[in-house]
Amino acid sequence: MLKPNVNYRNLKDSYLFFGISKKVEAYRKAHPDLPLYRLGIGDVSRPLCDAAIQAMHDAVEDQSRAETFHGYVPECGIPEYRKAVAGYYACRGVQLDPEEVFVSSGASDELGDILDLFDKSADALVTQPAYPAYVDASIMAGRKVSFLTAGPDNDFLPLPGKDTQADLLYLCSPNNPTGAVYSREQLQQWVDFANSRGAVILFDAAYEAFIEGDLPHSIFEIPGAETCAIEICSLSKTAGFTGTRLGYTVIPKALERDGMNLNAMWVRNRTTKTNGISYILQKGGIAVFTDEGLRQIRENIQYYKRNARVLMAALDKAGIRYWGGKNAPYIWMACPEGVKSWDFFDRLLNEIQIIGTPGEGFGACGEGFFRLSSFGDAKDTEIAAERLQELLLRK
Ligand code: MLT
């Protein structure tokens, strides 16, 4: 008899955000007249920037005329898109060959797909609390997953110790959910660790555009990363493409294991398993990386940063400890004394109609914490902040 992938038995019943959306839907049906304040999943609320919209309109026009029509596009990315991403890195002093950049349909898709490059025996190390897809995708692929715990004691930035073991290592900076950002010196420790063990870092840079000040946006700002890291990024949070789906993955040509070149393997993988990403979307992506596009997306990022400040001010007034919110769109708050994160979730939903994300959903060590997203509408965020402050101050 055909055997299904039994690794699915090792997963929780439902994916974190899918489970939350079902709870919220049930609440909405039961209380159709109550407004909901969405500070849960990191989904953007600002429309796409004009530069991207115009480029995508033009690309649709291209598809309407025989002279400009495009059928299949190159599987690894339109050369202009790969060049545009490489140009974005060059602005920060990271020199990439455009052939080291691969187009993708977004970071979450890619974080699972990339596991194809590694033997099943490669164990994964995840710093936790963590974006749950790292763990779930690894479990689905039948990998052993171990955890390195982050907490207030290490500012949510764990570092390798002498007993740390890893083949594949997931790092996310700025971190989802905690908002913590590794410094250059700290990332150097991880790069040195990976190079010394032959491990590969899967670096999730989805929130890099929120960094303020002199902190690394990319693992490739760290010397030695080109022989031990793959960077996965997306335009979802950078440019509001959550519903549009576009991203990129950087695999250096210098990255080899056991005589096999991972860049060449990914070319083999993509040319087999995909027929590329829509011409129209890639044209939108190219426009994002123009000077004007970058100026426009920064305005949206500032909008979300204002929301984060409003939420942080409410927590300050309520005397609640929190992390993040400055270099990341997420605020990672401590739940009120003794309250479990899912109980806090229920309380916020039922009493003040705020949807957040329970820390426990990001791993056991997230218990006692709660994540607020700053990606909502500004007016709604102001109302939510007032309600939250009032609830937290209630005796
Ligand atoms: C999150 O809320 O953690 C993210 O929006 C989820 C995602 O990017 O898939």
Side-chain angles (χ1 to χ4, degrees):
M1 201 184 19
L2 173 104
K3 217 171 151 198
N5 182 347
V6 292
N7 297 312
Y8 279 64
R9 292 208 173 106
N10 301 325
L11 295 166
K12 287 187 179 168
D13 277 354
S14 77
Y15 184 62
L16 174 64
F17 294 108
F18 185 69
I20 289 177
S21 67
K22 282 175 103 178
K23 268 186 169 239
V24 171
E25 197 41 34
Y27 183 85
R28 205 188 55 78
K29 278 209 177 116
H31 306 90
D33 300 330
L34 289 180
L36 287 174
Y37 300 94
R38 296 180 186 275
L39 311 180
I41 189 167
D43 196 5
V44 293
S45 56
R46 303 291 302 149
L48 295 182
C49 69
D50 288 346
I53 290 293
Q54 188 55 52
M56 288 194 278
H57 274 302
D58 293 347
V60 170
E61 286 301 317
D62 287 351
Q63 296 298 69
S64 74
R65 290 187 299 268
E67 317 80 72
T68 49
F69 173 76
H70 286 263
Y72 289 127
V73 293
E75 297 88 340
C76 298
I78 296 176
E80 215 185 334
Y81 179 74
R82 302 176 88 179
K83 242 175 98 183
V85 176
Y88 181 59
Y89 276 72
C91 295
R92 289 200 297 269
V94 175
Q95 302 307 325
L96 296 178
D97 177 338
E99 288 183 1
E100 295 178 311
V101 176
F102 293 83
V103 71
S104 76
S105 52
S108 45
D109 321 27
E110 201 79 341
L111 283 159
D113 292 351
I114 203 83
L115 296 176
D116 264 12
L117 290 180
F118 305 98
D119 187 77
K120 290 269 180 292
S121 63
D123 296 345
L125 178 68
V126 176
T127 66
Q128 239 185 5
Y131 179 46
Y134 307 151
V135 179
D136 289 3
S138 298
I139 290 176
M140 284 175 189
R143 278 171 210 285
K144 189 169 151 250
V145 184
S146 55
F147 301 103
L148 196 59
T149 306
D153 294 351
N154 52 20
D155 291 327
F156 292 99
L157 294 167
L159 292 167
K162 58 177 182 348
D163 300 329
T164 309
Q165 303 283 344
D167 298 320
L168 284 174
L169 168 61
Y170 286 90
L171 292 182
C172 177
S173 177
N175 186 268
N176 176 14
T178 67
V181 191
Y182 279 113
S183 67
R184 276 171 222 289
E185 295 69 31
Q186 289 170 323
L187 277 187
Q188 188 71 62
Q189 289 189 44
W190 279 116
V191 165
D192 293 345
F193 166 84
N195 275 323
S196 69
R197 310 289 163 110
V200 170
I201 298 172
L202 299 176
F203 192 79
D204 180 351
Y207 300 95
E208 62 79 18
F210 288 79
I211 289 179
E212 294 172 10
D214 183 32
L215 289 161
H217 289 237
S218 161
I219 189 83
F220 298 115
E221 291 177 48
I222 310 303
E226 64 286 356
T227 52
C228 70
I230 290 176
E231 183 155 298
I232 293 176
C233 199
S234 146
L235 274 70
S236 286
K237 318 296 158 116
T238 306
F241 274 53
T242 50
T244 309
R245 308 306 309 151
L246 187 67
Y248 55 86
T249 298
V250 178
I251 308 183
K253 289 188 174 175
L255 182 57
E256 296 193 339
R257 288 293 177 268
D258 202 16
M260 295 179 80
N261 184 288
L262 274 73
N263 179 291
M265 286 167 69
W266 198 236
V267 173
R268 186 68 179 82
N269 182 297
R270 295 293 86 181
T271 51
T272 308
K273 291 197 167 181
T274 80
N275 271 329
I277 300 285
S278 153
Y279 166 77
I280 297 162
L281 301 191
Q282 291 195 64
K283 286 300 232 186
I286 292 163
V288 163
F289 293 114
T290 59
D291 289 345
E292 180 54 19
L294 289 171
R295 193 193 60 72
Q296 293 175 5
I297 61 166
R298 280 182 193 127
E299 278 178 11
N300 283 347
I301 288 170
Q302 288 312 320
Y303 177 98
Y304 299 131
K305 279 181 176 287
R306 275 193 298 280
N307 286 346
R309 287 196 291 273
V310 168
L311 291 167
M312 290 190 288
L315 295 177
D316 283 335
K317 287 190 193 131
I320 293 284
R321 201 167 172 210
Y322 60 86
W323 296 259
K326 179 166 162 32
N327 295 301
Y330 300 124
I331 296 158
W332 182 246
M333 61 173 282
C335 294
E337 189 71 32
V339 179
K340 292 207 177 259
S341 62
W342 278 104
D343 293 340
F344 193 56
F345 172 89
D346 287 336
R347 188 161 174 220
L348 292 199
L349 181 60
N350 292 316
E351 292 184 27
I352 54 174
Q353 291 73 51
I354 288 181
I355 304 156
T357 311
E360 197 271 341
F362 299 97
C365 64
E367 184 53 281
F369 296 93
F370 198 77
R371 195 191 77 174
L372 303 172
S373 155
S374 65
F375 281 121
D377 168 80
K379 192 74 215 142
D380 282 358
T381 303
E382 276 171 29
I383 300 172
E386 274 172 31
R387 288 179 168 223
L388 182 63
Q389 184 185 323
E390 193 272 325
L391 176 135
L392 290 167
L393 286 170
R394 227 184 270 161
K395 292 282 168 232

PDB file of all heavy atoms in Angstrom, residues 17 40-43 108 131 176 207 237 330 362 371, ligand 1:
ATOM      1  N   PHE A  17      -0.584  30.546  11.793  1.00  0.00           N
ATOM      2  CA  PHE A  17      -1.431  31.648  11.318  1.00  0.00           C
ATOM      3  C   PHE A  17      -2.748  31.145  10.728  1.00  0.00           C
ATOM      4  O   PHE A  17      -3.746  31.846  10.752  1.00  0.00           O
ATOM      5  CB  PHE A  17      -0.657  32.522  10.325  1.00  0.00           C
ATOM      6  CG  PHE A  17       0.497  33.225  10.992  1.00  0.00           C
ATOM      7  CD1 PHE A  17       1.808  32.859  10.754  1.00  0.00           C
ATOM      8  CD2 PHE A  17       0.260  34.233  11.912  1.00  0.00           C
ATOM      9  CE1 PHE A  17       2.865  33.482  11.392  1.00  0.00           C
ATOM     10  CE2 PHE A  17       1.302  34.871  12.570  1.00  0.00           C
ATOM     11  CZ  PHE A  17       2.614  34.497  12.302  1.00  0.00           C
ATOM     12  N   GLY A  40      -2.057  40.947  14.134  1.00  0.00           N
ATOM     13  CA  GLY A  40      -1.595  39.564  14.185  1.00  0.00           C
ATOM     14  C   GLY A  40      -0.572  39.255  13.103  1.00  0.00           C
ATOM     15  O   GLY A  40       0.568  39.728  13.173  1.00  0.00           O
ATOM     16  N   ILE A  41      -0.972  38.498  12.106  1.00  0.00           N
ATOM     17  CA  ILE A  41      -0.035  38.123  11.042  1.00  0.00           C
ATOM     18  C   ILE A  41       0.558  39.396  10.413  1.00  0.00           C
ATOM     19  O   ILE A  41      -0.129  40.422  10.306  1.00  0.00           O
ATOM     20  CB  ILE A  41      -0.731  37.242   9.975  1.00  0.00           C
ATOM     21  CG1 ILE A  41       0.307  36.666   9.003  1.00  0.00           C
ATOM     22  CG2 ILE A  41      -1.824  37.991   9.232  1.00  0.00           C
ATOM     23  CD1 ILE A  41      -0.216  35.547   8.113  1.00  0.00           C
ATOM     24  N   GLY A  42       1.813  39.323  10.027  1.00  0.00           N
ATOM     25  CA  GLY A  42       2.487  40.490   9.461  1.00  0.00           C
ATOM     26  C   GLY A  42       2.055  40.761   8.036  1.00  0.00           C
ATOM     27  O   GLY A  42       2.877  40.645   7.121  1.00  0.00           O
ATOM     28  N   ASP A  43       0.786  41.112   7.881  1.00  0.00           N
ATOM     29  CA  ASP A  43       0.313  41.403   6.523  1.00  0.00           C
ATOM     30  C   ASP A  43       0.165  42.910   6.349  1.00  0.00           C
ATOM     31  O   ASP A  43      -0.452  43.581   7.179  1.00  0.00           O
ATOM     32  CB  ASP A  43      -1.027  40.715   6.275  1.00  0.00           C
ATOM     33  CG  ASP A  43      -1.348  40.670   4.794  1.00  0.00           C
ATOM     34  OD1 ASP A  43      -0.492  41.083   3.982  1.00  0.00           O
ATOM     35  OD2 ASP A  43      -2.460  40.226   4.449  1.00  0.00           O
ATOM     36  N   SER A 108       8.633  32.558   2.309  1.00  0.00           N
ATOM     37  CA  SER A 108       8.111  31.360   2.988  1.00  0.00           C
ATOM     38  C   SER A 108       8.149  30.158   2.057  1.00  0.00           C
ATOM     39  O   SER A 108       8.495  29.046   2.479  1.00  0.00           O
ATOM     40  CB  SER A 108       6.703  31.596   3.527  1.00  0.00           C
ATOM     41  OG  SER A 108       5.916  32.229   2.571  1.00  0.00           O
ATOM     42  N   TYR A 131      10.059  31.948  13.468  1.00  0.00           N
ATOM     43  CA  TYR A 131       9.015  31.851  12.440  1.00  0.00           C
ATOM     44  C   TYR A 131       8.701  30.354  12.266  1.00  0.00           C
ATOM     45  O   TYR A 131       9.607  29.562  11.974  1.00  0.00           O
ATOM     46  CB  TYR A 131       9.587  32.475  11.167  1.00  0.00           C
ATOM     47  CG  TYR A 131       8.694  32.459   9.965  1.00  0.00           C
ATOM     48  CD1 TYR A 131       7.362  32.821  10.047  1.00  0.00           C
ATOM     49  CD2 TYR A 131       9.205  32.102   8.718  1.00  0.00           C
ATOM     50  CE1 TYR A 131       6.558  32.823   8.915  1.00  0.00           C
ATOM     51  CE2 TYR A 131       8.410  32.110   7.585  1.00  0.00           C
ATOM     52  CZ  TYR A 131       7.089  32.463   7.694  1.00  0.00           C
ATOM     53  OH  TYR A 131       6.309  32.461   6.580  1.00  0.00           O
ATOM     54  N   ASN A 176      12.012  37.735  13.395  1.00  0.00           N
ATOM     55  CA  ASN A 176      10.589  37.493  13.549  1.00  0.00           C
ATOM     56  C   ASN A 176      10.500  36.311  14.522  1.00  0.00           C
ATOM     57  O   ASN A 176      11.026  35.246  14.188  1.00  0.00           O
ATOM     58  CB  ASN A 176       9.973  37.124  12.202  1.00  0.00           C
ATOM     59  CG  ASN A 176       8.508  36.764  12.325  1.00  0.00           C
ATOM     60  OD1 ASN A 176       7.882  37.022  13.337  1.00  0.00           O
ATOM     61  ND2 ASN A 176       7.961  36.148  11.276  1.00  0.00           N
ATOM     62  N   TYR A 207      13.079  41.134   6.865  1.00  0.00           N
ATOM     63  CA  TYR A 207      12.754  42.399   7.528  1.00  0.00           C
ATOM     64  C   TYR A 207      13.886  43.411   7.468  1.00  0.00           C
ATOM     65  O   TYR A 207      13.885  44.406   8.202  1.00  0.00           O
ATOM     66  CB  TYR A 207      12.342  42.106   8.982  1.00  0.00           C
ATOM     67  CG  TYR A 207      11.133  41.197   9.019  1.00  0.00           C
ATOM     68  CD1 TYR A 207      11.273  39.818   9.150  1.00  0.00           C
ATOM     69  CD2 TYR A 207       9.864  41.708   8.831  1.00  0.00           C
ATOM     70  CE1 TYR A 207      10.167  38.975   9.115  1.00  0.00           C
ATOM     71  CE2 TYR A 207       8.748  40.880   8.794  1.00  0.00           C
ATOM     72  CZ  TYR A 207       8.913  39.513   8.933  1.00  0.00           C
ATOM     73  OH  TYR A 207       7.807  38.695   8.887  1.00  0.00           O
ATOM     74  N   LYS A 237       7.517  42.387   2.806  1.00  0.00           N
ATOM     75  CA  LYS A 237       7.530  43.394   3.853  1.00  0.00           C
ATOM     76  C   LYS A 237       8.276  44.633   3.382  1.00  0.00           C
ATOM     77  O   LYS A 237       7.963  45.747   3.772  1.00  0.00           O
ATOM     78  CB  LYS A 237       8.177  42.837   5.131  1.00  0.00           C
ATOM     79  CG  LYS A 237       7.764  41.406   5.471  1.00  0.00           C
ATOM     80  CD  LYS A 237       6.292  41.268   5.795  1.00  0.00           C
ATOM     81  CE  LYS A 237       5.833  39.837   5.602  1.00  0.00           C
ATOM     82  NZ  LYS A 237       5.386  39.112   6.732  1.00  0.00           N
ATOM     83  N   TYR A 330       7.756  44.250  14.245  1.00  0.00           N
ATOM     84  CA  TYR A 330       7.092  43.515  15.322  1.00  0.00           C
ATOM     85  C   TYR A 330       7.521  44.009  16.694  1.00  0.00           C
ATOM     86  O   TYR A 330       8.691  44.347  16.902  1.00  0.00           O
ATOM     87  CB  TYR A 330       7.406  42.023  15.230  1.00  0.00           C
ATOM     88  CG  TYR A 330       6.948  41.414  13.931  1.00  0.00           C
ATOM     89  CD1 TYR A 330       7.843  40.747  13.107  1.00  0.00           C
ATOM     90  CD2 TYR A 330       5.621  41.529  13.516  1.00  0.00           C
ATOM     91  CE1 TYR A 330       7.424  40.201  11.899  1.00  0.00           C
ATOM     92  CE2 TYR A 330       5.193  40.995  12.310  1.00  0.00           C
ATOM     93  CZ  TYR A 330       6.100  40.325  11.504  1.00  0.00           C
ATOM     94  OH  TYR A 330       5.689  39.803  10.322  1.00  0.00           O
ATOM     95  N   PHE A 362       5.465  30.547  18.459  1.00  0.00           N
ATOM     96  CA  PHE A 362       6.807  30.627  17.869  1.00  0.00           C
ATOM     97  C   PHE A 362       7.776  29.682  18.582  1.00  0.00           C
ATOM     98  O   PHE A 362       8.986  29.776  18.407  1.00  0.00           O
ATOM     99  CB  PHE A 362       7.327  32.071  17.949  1.00  0.00           C
ATOM    100  CG  PHE A 362       6.469  33.061  17.208  1.00  0.00           C
ATOM    101  CD1 PHE A 362       5.519  33.814  17.879  1.00  0.00           C
ATOM    102  CD2 PHE A 362       6.598  33.218  15.831  1.00  0.00           C
ATOM    103  CE1 PHE A 362       4.713  34.724  17.195  1.00  0.00           C
ATOM    104  CE2 PHE A 362       5.796  34.129  15.149  1.00  0.00           C
ATOM    105  CZ  PHE A 362       4.854  34.880  15.826  1.00  0.00           C
ATOM    106  N   ARG A 371       3.159  38.807  20.417  1.00  0.00           N
ATOM    107  CA  ARG A 371       3.679  39.647  19.322  1.00  0.00           C
ATOM    108  C   ARG A 371       2.597  40.558  18.765  1.00  0.00           C
ATOM    109  O   ARG A 371       1.482  40.122  18.471  1.00  0.00           O
ATOM    110  CB  ARG A 371       4.221  38.761  18.191  1.00  0.00           C
ATOM    111  CG  ARG A 371       5.079  39.541  17.207  1.00  0.00           C
ATOM    112  CD  ARG A 371       5.386  38.731  15.962  1.00  0.00           C
ATOM    113  NE  ARG A 371       4.236  38.680  15.065  1.00  0.00           N
ATOM    114  CZ  ARG A 371       4.251  38.143  13.862  1.00  0.00           C
ATOM    115  NH1 ARG A 371       5.349  37.559  13.403  1.00  0.00           N
ATOM    116  NH2 ARG A 371       3.163  38.148  13.110  1.00  0.00           N
TER     117      ARG A 371
HETATM  118  C1  MLT B   1       4.351  36.671  10.196  1.00  0.00           C
HETATM  119  O1  MLT B   1       3.362  37.267  10.621  1.00  0.00           O
HETATM  120  O2  MLT B   1       5.142  36.066  10.925  1.00  0.00           O
HETATM  121  C2  MLT B   1       4.587  36.701   8.717  1.00  0.00           C
HETATM  122  O3  MLT B   1       3.790  37.645   8.123  1.00  0.00           O
HETATM  123  C3  MLT B   1       4.237  35.420   8.143  1.00  0.00           C
HETATM  124  C4  MLT B   1       4.832  35.294   6.788  1.00  0.00           C
HETATM  125  O4  MLT B   1       5.600  36.122   6.331  1.00  0.00           O
HETATM  126  O5  MLT B   1       4.507  34.284   6.169  1.00  0.00           O
END
